[in-house]
Amino acid sequence: QLACPLDLGCHSVKSAFKGVVIGNVCFEPGTAEGAVRTGAVDLIAFGRLYISNPDLAERVANGWPLAPAGEYPTWWDYSKGAEGYTDFPAYQPPAAKEE
């Protein structure tokens, strides 16, 4: 579970703002689906989770495990260049065992 320092109360945002509400920060696939299904938000944007899971859509669609979200210094320290943004591996399903 991602650490979520702020509870922004998406339902209260939807009641006060009549436009499209995009949820972000602290969502994982299950909580994102719940937020959309309940009408708390219209869309979800994944950031950190996509950085550490460059194949996030495929992982969710196939039920593959997620890598933990990148640590704060990994994606916030721009002095490292592409390190921390482009070096997370895609999921490799286990090879099928031959009988």
Side-chain angles (χ1 to χ4, degrees), residues 69-83:
E71 295 295 321
Y72 183 80
T74 304
W75 53 269
W76 190 256
D77 185 359
Y78 299 110
S79 69
K80 295 179 179 182
E83 179 185 347

Side-chain angles (χ1 to χ4, degrees), residues 19-73:
V20 174
V21 174
I22 302 172
N24 191 7
V25 181
C26 308
F27 286 98
E28 291 182 344
T31 56
E33 183 177 350
V36 171
R37 282 183 185 223
T38 63
V41 297
D42 299 297
L43 304 165
I44 297 290
F46 292 103
R48 288 176 36 203
L49 202 55
Y50 240 121
I51 291 173
S52 58
N53 295 278
D55 55 345
L56 182 62
E58 291 85 359
R59 288 182 189 224
V60 172
N62 291 294
W64 297 337
L66 300 179
E71 295 295 321
Y72 183 80

Side-chain angles (χ1 to χ4, degrees), residues 10-26:
C10 294
H11 280 289
S12 60
V13 172
K14 282 288 285 186
S15 64
F17 178 71
K18 300 305 177 201
V20 174
V21 174
I22 302 172
N24 191 7
V25 181
C26 308

